[in-house]
Amino acid sequence: MTLAEDRVGLRDQLQIGRRELSARFHASPPRTIGAGELLTAGIKSSATICHLVAGWACQGRDFSNGHLAILDIYLPGDVIGLDSVLRTRALSNVLTLTSIAIEVINAKDATLDELMTCRSTALYIAWLLGQRQQRADRLLGALSSLDARGRLATMLLDFFKRLSRRGLVTGSTYNLPLKQAQIGAYLGLTVAHVNRVLRSLRDERIANVEKHAVTIFDVEGLMRLAGDGQVMAATGNHAA
Amino acid sequence: MTLAEDRVGLRDQLQIGRRELSARFHASPPRTIGAGELLTAGIKSSATICHLVAGWACQGRDFSNGHLAILDIYLPGDVIGLDSVLRTRALSNVLTLTSIAIEVINAKDATLDELMTCRSTALYIAWLLGQRQQRADRLLGALSSLDARGRLATMLLDFFKRLSRRGLVTGSTYNLPLKQAQIGAYLGLTVAHVNRVLRSLRDERIANVEKHAVTIFDVEGLMRLAGDGQVMAATGNHAA
DNA sequence: CGATTCCTTGAAGGTTGTCAACGTTGGTGG
DNA sequence: CCACCAACGTTGACAACCTTCAAGGAATCG
């Protein structure tokens, strides 16, 4: 069976691609953008790829009724703009949640077209796209199947997992720079209800969210609410 | 400004990649699978990529409470399995909605690793991943911001657009092989409510859905419900 | 033709949205 | 230091939307 060998080789390829891309990002000078601004504010060309070095950002979508939905949330270490680089409107609707630091690969220097010439990089980019898809799928499942408590639980667990994976959290506490209105836009709830549910989670000693600080008391309780059940135990995720 | 040239070149690259991949799909013998079965039923290896030649399929997610959520719906012409090929569990949870015909690229013949060696193919695969992401984002927005009527409207419009783009629909009627329970699983609603909303859309002469046949009476009415407003007019999508 | 699945509809109740008001916080200037 | 202000968080009452439960009708398939 060559499958095991292939997967090992694949993992190596991904590591190489990761370093390739990382080098490309380092080539350009980093920039900083203030909180609550559009990502395009600090970038001239729209066909760019961003590496979020520090801070949080999010992908928004405006509806004609004026309501703003948040489709994805980017954490330190994430790459932004891959999915939209092949479409006309790139990085529009990405806005910062905190002040951030980014590295960019400019369209003039290297388009996605050029990046794809290297197999390892192409693989790594495909992997990154898959990661973003996975996040969307998880959120999609939560929105379509869970009530407000379940959605909040899913969100709190997801951020915790993503931050942990990158060593950005120790213990059961982390920083969540989202206003309750933004949490609502992300989970499809109103501010008032987000507030109510957070209170109930606090009263039941499951998790505490206040002043941009999350503390998880009962991980299993959250997992139960999120409907994750036995899935977590099965998937040993060794993601980078 | 080389940007215009680049985009033209990019579009050519995508066409080439498309043909490349198409040729790969044709190399393997096509298969058929009955309705309501797992996609893995007709495939041995799990690390495969599928080209859906005919019929509909969907991506499911099981929750520990037994509820099934539908995360994406695949139409004739779609490629399935790209996003999960870099993860351990591929094609699980993909199940057919009708009887289908597929072409597969087997892991033994060519892994994603190998496909990525060709730049055009790599670009086209990235484009496909972006397409799937775009679908997820649209659904995400609908679930998070719209009520049942808006979600139904979004779904009806999306299928119509995707089918039109591939020349699979003429006029304002198309075939929708989804049971109301499945529509509910896709939009995060119960069967009963899907039924009620469909009735109201019919009563108001906006759209008619019965017996797996959709007829759109009032496109603008649907767009208004979907909150698409002026977005549609702006985006001239020339997708393949 | 029976049996199963799906669609349809009603009544009751729960979850969430809406609206409005008040409390809290942090920053700014007097 | 305090007063003020603006933005955010918090809470309650009420209404709307949606789910749940239940039952009957229609369609499909053996």
Side-chain angles (χ1 to χ4, degrees):
Chain A
M1 192 84 182
T2 70
L3 195 129
E5 298 166 16
D6 282 351
R7 290 208 69 77
V8 172
L10 216 163
R11 187 153 296 161
D12 292 343
Q13 292 284 344
L14 286 179
Q15 276 303 329
I16 295 170
R18 176 195 194 74
R19 274 191 279 270
E20 283 279 343
L21 200 61
S22 201
R24 286 308 254 286
F25 278 123
H26 286 313
S28 283
R31 310 177 186 205
T32 62
I33 305 180
E37 294 183 25
L38 282 170
L39 197 57
T40 51
I43 303 171
K44 284 134 201 167
S45 166
S46 65
T48 50
I49 306 171
C50 294
H51 182 225
L52 187 54
V53 177
W56 291 39
C58 72
Q59 180 97 34
R61 175 183 184 319
D62 291 306
F63 281 83
S64 55
N65 64 18
H67 185 69
L68 173 79
I70 293 181
L71 303 178
D72 196 8
I73 292 184
Y74 302 110
L75 272 46
D78 281 336
V79 175
I80 307 176
L82 283 175
D83 53 337
S84 51
V85 83
L86 290 175
R87 259 173 280 154
T88 44
R89 303 184 68 206
L91 297 188
S92 62
N93 296 334
V94 176
L95 51 86
T96 62
L97 296 168
T98 68
S99 60
I100 63 172
I102 55 173
E103 300 166 328
V104 304
I105 297 181
N106 202 308
K108 278 174 288 187
D109 293 343
T111 60
L112 190 62
D113 188 14
E114 185 199 331
L115 288 175
M116 283 303 190
T117 54
C118 171
R119 185 179 57 166
S120 314
T121 310
L123 266 176
Y124 181 61
I125 286 175
W127 183 79
L128 286 173
L129 286 167
Q131 289 293 109
R132 164 133 160 69
Q133 185 68 55
Q134 195 175 13
R135 291 199 300 273
D137 285 351
R138 261 191 80 77
L139 181 57
L140 220 34
L143 290 186
S144 114
S145 300
L146 302 177
D147 61 356
R149 294 168 62 85
R151 297 182 200 176
L152 255 309
T154 302
M155 187 194 76
L156 294 177
L157 283 175
D158 283 357
F159 288 150
F160 183 71
K161 279 188 285 186
R162 289 170 67 189
L163 291 173
S164 295
R165 210 173 290 160
R166 294 188 180 151
L168 295 176
V169 57
T170 53
S172 55
T173 299
Y174 63 91
N175 188 54
L176 177 72
L178 289 178
K179 296 163 193 166
Q180 293 187 354
Q182 293 166 331
I183 296 177
Y186 182 56
L187 299 179
L189 302 167
T190 56
V191 196
H193 204 58
V194 167
N195 190 302
R196 277 190 275 261
V197 174
L198 287 181
R199 153 166 288 281
S200 82
L201 290 180
R202 179 171 355 124
D203 289 347
E204 298 170 30
R205 301 279 167 171
I206 296 177
N208 188 26
V209 180
E210 57 183 8
K211 302 273 296 171
H212 295 176
V214 176
T215 306
I216 296 178
F217 298 130
D218 180 2
V219 183
E220 300 194 358
L222 281 180
M223 284 170 51
R224 209 175 312 116
L225 286 176
D228 269 341
Q230 60 284 36
V231 180
M232 281 286 299
T235 64
N237 45 23
H238 317 283
Chain B
M1 193 86 183
T2 70
L3 196 130
E5 299 167 16
D6 283 351
R7 290 209 69 79
V8 172
L10 215 164
R11 187 155 294 162
D12 293 342
Q13 291 285 343
L14 286 179
Q15 277 303 330
I16 294 170
R18 176 197 194 73
R19 274 191 279 271
E20 283 279 344
L21 200 60
S22 202
R24 288 307 256 284
F25 277 125
H26 286 314
S28 283
R31 311 178 187 204
T32 62
I33 305 181
E37 293 182 26
L38 281 171
L39 198 58
T40 50
I43 302 169
K44 284 133 201 166
S45 166
S46 65
T48 51
I49 305 171
C50 294
H51 182 225
L52 188 55
V53 177
W56 291 40
C58 72
Q59 180 97 33
R61 176 190 188 312
D62 291 307
F63 281 84
S64 54
N65 64 18
H67 186 68
L68 174 78
I70 293 180
L71 303 178
D72 195 10
I73 292 184
Y74 301 110
L75 272 45
D78 281 336
V79 175
I80 307 176
L82 283 176
D83 53 336
S84 51
V85 82
L86 289 175
R87 259 174 281 152
T88 44
R89 303 185 67 205
L91 296 188
S92 62
N93 296 333
V94 175
L95 50 87
T96 63
L97 296 168
T98 69
S99 61
I100 64 172
I102 54 173
E103 300 166 328
V104 304
I105 297 180
N106 202 310
K108 277 176 286 187
D109 293 343
T111 60
L112 190 62
D113 187 15
E114 185 198 331
L115 289 174
M116 283 303 190
T117 55
C118 171
R119 184 179 57 165
S120 314
T121 310
L123 265 175
Y124 181 60
I125 286 176
W127 182 80
L128 286 173
L129 286 167
Q131 289 293 109
R132 164 135 161 67
Q133 184 68 55
Q134 195 176 12
R135 292 198 300 272
D137 284 351
R138 259 190 81 75
L139 182 56
L140 219 35
L143 290 187
S144 117
S145 299
L146 302 176
D147 61 356
R149 293 167 64 85
R151 296 181 201 177
L152 256 309
T154 302
M155 187 194 75
L156 294 177
L157 282 176
D158 282 358
F159 288 149
F160 183 71
K161 278 187 286 186
R162 289 170 68 188
L163 290 173
S164 297
R165 209 173 290 160
R166 293 187 182 154
L168 295 176
V169 58
T170 54
S172 54
T173 299
Y174 63 90
N175 188 54
L176 177 72
L178 288 178
K179 296 164 193 166
Q180 293 187 355
Q182 292 166 332
I183 296 177
Y186 182 55
L187 298 179
L189 303 167
T190 57
V191 197
H193 204 58
V194 168
N195 189 301
R196 276 188 268 264
V197 174
L198 286 180
R199 155 165 288 281
S200 82
L201 290 180
R202 179 171 353 124
D203 291 347
E204 298 170 31
R205 300 280 167 171
I206 296 176
N208 188 25
V209 181
E210 57 183 7
K211 302 271 296 172
H212 294 176
V214 176
T215 306
I216 296 178
F217 298 129
D218 181 2
V219 182
E220 299 194 358
L222 281 181
M223 283 170 50
R224 210 176 310 116
L225 285 177
D228 268 341
Q230 58 285 35
V231 180
M232 281 286 297
T235 64
N237 46 23
H238 316 284

